[in-house]
Amino acid sequence: MQVIGNAGDGKDAKEMELEKVLHMKKGFDHTSYARNSLFQRIVTTLAGSIIEERIREVYVTLRPKCLMMADMGCSSGPNALQVVSRIIDVIDDASRTINRQCPQFGVFLNDLPGNDFNTLFNLLPSFNQGLQEAEGSSFRPCFVSGIPKSFYGRVFPDNFLHFVHSSYSIHFLSQVPRGLVSENGEALNKGNIYIAETSPQEIHKAYYAQFKKDFTLFLKLRSREMVSQGGMVLVLQGSFNSDNPDSIHSLLGSTLQDMVLKGVIEQEKLDKFNMPFYAPTIEEVRKLVEAEGSFALNKLEAFTTDWSIDTSQNLETRAKFVAKTLRAVTEPLLETTFTHGIMDDLYLLFEIRVKERIARKKGEYFNIVLSVTKKE
Ligand SMILES: C[S@@+](CC[C@H](N)C(=O)[O-])C[C@H]1O[C@@H](n2cnc3c(N)ncnc32)[C@H](O)[C@@H]1O
């Protein structure tokens, strides 16, 4: 069973299945992921040349009549369709270069069943119209479907996909690592929700062990589903150091601790809550890809982005942007343990903490881009 509120007491009734509760903030209101995912869109755009290079090579090598591609962890905003439309542009251009008719496209948008697919599907008519207008007479049908399933299980038949893309999703784990709670049920990562300065060494070990298991499984499963010479590009959040305690999640954890001190939430609840998330180092990713063995590594690069993306804005605007971006991702998870009623206050306090922090020290995400080819 996949759990988030890891009680560690073996009572499954207390556990929640992560697959059922993990989703970004639904809908299209001012706190939704659809409206607060500019950060992720910019990161994917910055990785764009690697995505374009890989898909072009895959197409020119395999020349399929219908190119099958999947976006794993597509979420509910416009980001997924933006990547797809960029990929179609690249293929259209490559087809002209090699003097072939542009292929048809099978596009599979994958996420967990709790994802707000409706918001995504509502964007499809204008997406299709935009494609038709942009591609003109060379327009070929693009068949888009939603696939509500965990990417830590089989999603597609054998030898089916030519290209797999995933942005800002693979750092989500299949479950909160079990080792965050002792055998007698005592929380080991007290006062934190992720690896933080006060976390004991076992916490990092438990997180890395879970990531190793999940990422290796992800590679194995995708290698079964992809054709030989197929390509995959993964963009994920990483870390400078393997047990980096200075992340935005540790700041969110200390904001929750402030709420405990104010008497708004219970210490015990915070002590037992941990994020199902791990940001690996570039070397950890390299080692796991090589050890799994199904893929040849084309590129493995990293770049940093400021938490607020645009450092020319004033501190208030930047802190608001950072808090809204993180709220759209983390609020549904926090609501599994803490009440909905505290969320506005929590993220307001978090915004204040972010402002204090970026006034004193730069806050940066470390982003990893991995480009691989499925071996023969
Ligand atoms: C931060 S969003 C990124 C969405 C989109 N790719 C983007 O760049 O804006 C991460 C997405 O990964 C999805 N996700 C996490 N674990 C997953 C899993 N095991 N299977 C499928 N999707 C998953 C989440 O539900 C969420 O929608």
Side-chain angles (χ1 to χ4, degrees), residues 8 19 21 53 83 102 133 206 336:
E19 277 188 28
V21 297
E53 179 186 81
V83 177
C102 191
E133 283 165 13
T336 61

Side-chain angles (χ1 to χ4, degrees), residues 22 81 87 110 113 153 280:
L22 177 55
L81 295 176
I87 287 174
N110 158 259

Side-chain angles (χ1 to χ4, degrees), residues 274-310:
N274 287 288
M275 295 292 286
F277 161 96
Y278 180 72
T281 64
I282 202 160
E283 275 319 309
E284 287 170 344
V285 170
R286 184 194 307 280
K287 239 172 56 188
L288 295 177
V289 172
E290 286 171 358
E292 194 282 327
S294 306
F295 293 94
L297 210 154
N298 304 108
K299 275 200 173 137
L300 179 58
E301 294 182 2
F303 61 92
T304 56
T305 35
D306 192 86
W307 286 349
S308 66
I309 292 284
D310 184 359

